[in-house]
Amino acid sequence: MPVLNCNEILEREREAVRLLANCTLCPRSCGVDRTSGETGYCDTGPQPAVAASLPHFGEEPPVTGDGGAGTIFFSGCNMRCVYCQNYQISQEKTGHTVSSNHLTREILRLQEQGCSNVELVSPSHHLPGVLHALAHAVERGLSIPVVYNTNGYEALETLNLLDGIVDVYLPDLKYASATKAFQYSATPDYVETARAAILKMHSQVGNLVVDVRSRAVRGLILRHLVLPGDIAETYETLAWIRDHLPRTITLSIMAQYTPLYRSRAFPPLDRALTAEEYDGAIDYAWSLGFENVFIQHMNSRETGVPDFTLDQPFNWE
């Protein structure tokens, strides 16, 4: 759980509101006054917008734990990935605006259900409301870790506000090329921005630490989705990680790519990942000396793709 108390987190909320008023919460730095209802690139207002809140049993084992991750999916996004598996909420904005007090109740409800943590998915553009909710959840007895699940495209100033609040960071590192990041996610500065953000996250929480039941209590799990045709330039990404982070870092190399959203118009993203492509990425990770790597089954794409139009977006069977 956060090491800061309620008042300390509320002080961070006030700073986040200041950033929201001339919005620089994310690296887009749109500069619009979102406190007055203006919207920037993320197309969201001043209050949190939530698409789903549920125990999630498909995350990495230390995050899922024995009670599922207490996952809250936020609407909107600061990227435009043409293959996004959560496009219903990231691009089509499925979900509804909630008050910070409602969000507090949802956090505590997930804890009461026995979830291993509260996992915030794509929360950075809703940070003031998220911090307000966490502050009052701490005041009312929040005792499970806070997991921050992000695409990696984060502003350092925003991450500074999360120091002492987030226990476990779960970022993506999507690309090694600015050209590919622009072509497939409309984010030309992604590579340098995400790399700097990941180094900041690791400096705050360090390597993954688990409890006696193998549940994550602190640290960083770094995700990388292998894409068809090596669009993600996986080998270059893994080499950068080796050169800048400990080889004892926990990696999650994902095989769950599924052609969704606009991917059909962007070959080779119009096809599934092959076993040969994925196995090559895993073999290269081992060759670089990484010691802690989560590996996915190739059939993960059949169970891991959500439908946020349903009451239960995931099929865990």
Side-chain angles (χ1 to χ4, degrees):
M1 61 170 291
V3 300
L4 301 184
N5 63 35
C6 175
N7 289 334
E8 290 169 327
I9 299 174
L10 289 175
E11 182 59 36
R12 301 285 181 88
E13 180 204 356
R14 286 187 282 273
E15 180 62 18
V17 170
R18 184 187 67 80
L19 298 180
L20 194 72
N22 182 33
C23 196
T24 56
L25 280 175
C26 93
R28 295 280 178 187
S29 295
C30 295
V32 301
D33 183 3
R34 288 177 56 206
T35 63
S36 67
E38 291 184 74
T39 58
Y41 194 86
C42 65
D43 195 27
T44 53
Q47 296 297 319
V50 173
S53 175
L54 72 166
H56 192 312
F57 293 92
E59 304 290 42
E60 288 78 5
V63 178
T64 300
D66 43 15
T71 305
I72 301 173
F73 289 91
F74 292 91
S75 300
C77 189
N78 59 3
M79 295 181 69
R80 295 290 183 268
C81 301
V82 299
Y83 51 85
C84 181
Q85 72 173 27
N86 289 352
Y87 68 93
Q88 291 167 316
I89 62 175
S90 66
Q91 310 305 323
E92 296 178 353
K93 292 184 61 183
T94 299
H96 55 279
T97 300
V98 301
S99 69
S100 296
N101 290 335
H102 175 88
L103 191 54
T104 295
R105 292 192 294 271
E106 284 297 290
I107 290 169
L108 294 173
R109 179 183 65 82
L110 292 167
Q111 176 172 271
E112 290 163 5
Q113 285 186 254
C115 292
S116 302
N117 48 65
V118 53
E119 181 191 18
L120 310 170
V121 179
S122 301
S124 59
H125 50 295
H126 298 300
L127 191 60
V130 169
L131 291 176
H132 187 92
L134 284 172
H136 290 288
V138 167
E139 185 179 43
R140 293 169 55 183
L142 179 66
S143 60
I144 54 177
V146 173
V147 177
Y148 200 84
N149 182 331
T150 166
N151 57 26
Y153 191 55
E154 298 283 350
L156 298 184
E157 189 172 11
T158 296
L159 292 176
N160 286 336
L161 297 181
L162 298 171
D163 195 5
I165 298 173
V166 170
D167 300 290
V168 179
Y169 281 108
L170 190 58
D172 293 328
L173 185 51
K174 295 180 180 292
Y175 302 105
S177 159
T179 301
K180 299 288 179 64
F182 175 68
Q183 183 175 1
Y184 300 110
S185 295
T187 315
D189 61 335
Y190 178 84
V191 177
E192 64 267 30
T193 301
R195 287 176 174 181
I198 287 163
L199 294 178
K200 170 66 75 173
M201 295 176 204
H202 188 264
S203 73
Q204 289 182 8
V205 297
N207 282 1
L208 181 66
V209 177
V210 299
D211 64 13
V212 294
R213 292 159 64 181
S214 297
R215 299 173 303 184
V217 295
R218 186 172 174 82
L220 182 140
I221 301 175
L222 181 52
R223 286 175 161 178
H224 176 73
L225 177 64
V226 183
L227 295 176
D230 196 30
I231 282 173
E233 298 176 317
T234 295
Y235 290 41
E236 290 86 345
T237 294
L238 291 173
W240 179 86
I241 297 169
R242 174 204 59 191
D243 292 342
H244 294 85
L245 289 161
R247 297 189 193 187
T248 51
I249 193 174
T250 300
L251 298 180
S252 178
I253 302 179
M254 299 184 293
Q256 68 190 46
Y257 177 76
T258 305
L260 289 171
Y261 191 39
R262 299 172 55 215
S263 59
R264 300 288 181 185
F266 293 87
L269 291 176
D270 59 342
R271 65 167 174 85
L273 186 72
T274 67
E276 291 76 16
E277 288 171 319
Y278 185 66
D279 290 345
I282 298 301
D283 289 343
Y284 189 63
W286 295 136
S287 76
L288 293 178
F290 290 112
E291 301 175 16
N292 303 298
V293 182
F294 285 112
I295 299 170
Q296 278 189 322
H297 294 294
M298 292 300 294
N299 66 1
S300 61
R301 58 179 173 263
E302 299 172 9
T303 58
V305 176
D307 183 351
F308 288 98
T309 66
L310 303 177
D311 291 337
Q312 174 48 263
F314 294 90
N315 175 17
W316 305 123
E317 297 180 2

